[in-house]
Amino acid sequence: MTGFETVLLRVAGTAAGALVKSLLTRSPGAGLTPDPARPTPPWRRPAELGDPEIRRLTQSLASRMGPVCGALPEHERLAALDAVADAFTALGPLTADALLAADLDPSALAATLPPPPPGLNEAAERLYRGLVALCCAHAVEYVTTLPGFGARTDVELVRRTGELARAVDRLADRPDGAAHAFEERYARYVAETHGRLRLFGLTLSRSRREWPLDVAYISLAVSGEEHPMPGDPAVHRTQLRAEQALAGADRILLRGPAGSGKSTLVQWLALNAARRTAGPWGTCVPFVLRLRSFTASGDLPLPEDFLRAGGVPLAGPPGWVEDLMVSGRALVLVDGVDEVPQRLRARTETWLRSLVSAFPKARYVVTTRPSAVPEDWLAGQGFAAHSMLPMERGDIRAFVAHWHAAARADGQEVDAYEASLLEAVSSRRDLARLATNPLMCALLCALNQDRRMQLPRARKELYDAALDMLLVRRDTEREIAGVEGVYLTREEQIALLQRFAYWLIRNGQLEAGRDEAVEMVGEWLDAMPQVRAQGGAEPVFTHLLIRSGLLLEPSPGSVVFVHRTFQDYLGAKAAVESRDFGVLVKNAQDDSWDDVVRMAVGHARPDERARLLRGLLRRADKVKSAHDRLVLLTAACLEHAPELDPGIRAEIQSRTAGLLPPTGFSQAEQLARAGELVLDLLPGPAHLTEREAAVTVRTAALVGGPQALGLIARFRTDARPQVAVELADNWRRFRTPDYVESVLAQAELATTYVSVYTAEELAHLPLLPHARHISLRDGHWLPEAVVSRPDLEGLTIHRDDLLTDLSPLTALPDLWGLGLYECPRIADLSPLSGLPLRSLGLSRLAVGMSLAPLATLRSLTGFTLDFKAGISELADLPLAGTLRSLALFKGARHVGLDGLERWPELEALTISGERQALRLAARQSVPGLKLLQLNGLTVVPSMLVRHRELTDLILLKCTLGSGLEPLLELPHLNRLVVSFSAGPVDLSPLAVRDDLTVEVYGPNNLLGTELFPPERLVHMS
């Protein structure tokens, strides 16, 4: 052991001895609270706090909370108290061991409890949070007074010291070679197990079971955050390749519907990490954790259990995984939060929070369906949320090409099938909508081949045809029958499979034990004597597992459906045949039942369909907190209802129209799920506010199709900025020539940036001579179609890994606005010297690049910096004294503010991070500053009052360090923006300012909103 390690242990031992001595000599209790509440009567001193004790403690402490509690109506107060008690009950009894696991830290204990449940109003949520914090402090205080606590602490201290000693010994005694050798062995295992992919249709209808992931994988698009502009509080959404999104953050929450490719992306990440492919994950060691494996098996795994939990049959050196987590080389891939029952998701969130807190340097990717958790579910832990986007025309063509390439690799002649399918999805709107989902697209590929290019039209027909292909035609046409000594008809197989699917759904599971499944099949065979006569439950189940193509055995002893979609489809059929309409209605609030309910509408007879939809509407009226969600669910069900009582259809359309016009972009996504029926309900441009019109255009674009294009065309002359942005950004969702002719050719584009994603869009730019502002995205370099436009005024270039030379820009004499974002090979800005630039944004360019050429830009009034350039202070920034707007985003948070006084006309300032906040607080006021934007920092409002001329204050992803009362001292402040706040924001002190408007972007935890009239509290998204 080294001298340093010896000293480390000695210090640890000394600290432990001091702690023990202090515990043995002090009076009972930790002294955390001045007046400890009693969770039990004086004559009882239980060693743990269970449900009765917690409820007593909750009642006692609530009485101490004054107006926070007393102002609530009695039913709301009791609801909040019950929610607190239920949260602690779900956590389990509070024992000395449980509190020691939280290091006797009340705040750490509070962090393990779930957030306020849905249904509480804001005041009740405030009571819930305050009461949780109080209960944790008083619970810790109580446990520290127990007679055996001192001895128990002695044991814990000795144990922890011993663990520290053993950890140091491992570092000293274990050769690095052992860990390295195992890492190489593990990498080979991961590359082998994750390097193959099951392609639906090919996998299930041909002899070959798997294909190389390199052949089968295509890069899909996800939502991303647009680079913010100075003074812009919104986090604008854009699209980017999934690999780019994952490369840009250490913690990702990836949201996508069933079949959108989430699990395949996880597999691709694991493979590339194992292969050490170039990229940010190339030095990482991947651990794939499928959450469905833990829904019935108890605790979620700690790092030392990752290998076993991931089904890896290898044993690593002691402490190997934890060392990787600590060093930041671990890539933890957590797949399927939506596959965890709703009642257990709080446990999953607690587990993830604990992992991130204990191992903050590790990289994390978590996947889920969108409806399972809110977008900001893990925002407090620094997770960036991205959504899998529907495949667009180019993606669909690439997917079809990859699928058929895999078929060719298997020796099949598929050229005619590929050409036929591409023609079909181009010409048939019904197929094009289905093909936007990777699973549905794979189904179409398989069925197109199986049915000799005769494809179904509706989703239910698609599933029925797939089941027919898998359960009957696959073996019949290959003359395979009775291999296991069992002969089952299609109806017999479906009867057993749908019962199994419905059992999984009712029990909130996606996986069952094989023995349990066999036992259930045995029970169901009592009603099928002709099947039982063939050999009993075991051979029948084996036949279903091997021959049906719908079941998999992911690990020995466990059984799952090949995809969740088939489980939901078959389970819905069983629910309808069992007439369990009440069960469907009752569970419709649970997001995991969404597809089940929609598919049940498709399976039901017309009278049953009407009964089910009426039940959903009644449920919407009864459960106010879920009203809009349930109404939109019934609207989405209409797509699956070919025959329906006209009265019910009219009522659903009327209820949906009541939610229009849409006012938020998240609402646009919900409405679009209802399909084309919503297009008949969306209003035209007359009498809509700017935001309503913009969201209406977005909704129609998400639905797509000729009717949607016609609706959007009605807005083409609307020049309001938000509307114009939507018109210019959505052409990728339609055939490019059609959209150019119907919308963009006549749209007002003089001040709006037109985003160019594809080569086809680039080719159509000459048809838009009135477009003076262009955004090039995803690697177009500087094409002739852009640099040949001498009247171009604004240009932004995003995510171009190859662009190095900016000299073509010299051909643009009128260019006054330029943004270079995520172009890491740009290392020379000298070509900008002769341009008349007034606005310049630089983000993620070559690190350390010289900014000296900017000294020639004498007309520059706005500058944005978001990368580590070769400056340490603003005094080093070679900009003219004409600057009016300066923005330092996250990548430039290292830059100090010395030299800020060089720009006396500065009116708008954006700073990022704690260091710049402290530097600004240490300065005198910036005399002419009117707009201040603070990004990703802790805000202390008292430090802002010296800027007396402020009119606009923008808080983007900030935390409040104190109350907002000091802002009342700013006489001209009339606009406060709260955008994606990282903690609670109490607005109540500002309610007295009638001239102050609060704008809210994204999810936030706002308090005091009830004190503001609607016109002064505006929710922008």
Side-chain angles (χ1 to χ4, degrees), residues 191-198 208 210-213 267 271:
E192 177 63 28
T193 55
H194 291 281
R196 315 288 292 176
L197 180 70
R198 294 172 179 268
R208 188 172 178 177
E210 296 176 324
W211 277 256
L213 187 60
Q267 186 174 340
L271 175 64

Side-chain angles (χ1 to χ4, degrees), residues 220-223 252-263 265 335-339 366-375 385-390 436-438 563-565 591 595 598 669 673:
L220 296 176
V222 301
S223 65
I252 296 285
L253 177 65
L254 190 63
R255 306 163 78 241
S260 60
K262 302 185 296 296
S263 296
L265 182 56
D335 189 30
V337 171
D338 57 286
E339 298 176 355
V366 180
T367 75
T368 181
R369 288 191 186 186
S371 56
V373 294
E375 188 174 6
H386 295 276
S387 297
M388 301 292 294
L389 298 177
T436 60
N437 177 285
H563 198 278
R564 169 90 170 265
T565 300
D591 56 83
D595 286 345
R598 284 196 288 264
E669 295 178 5
R673 295 191 191 113

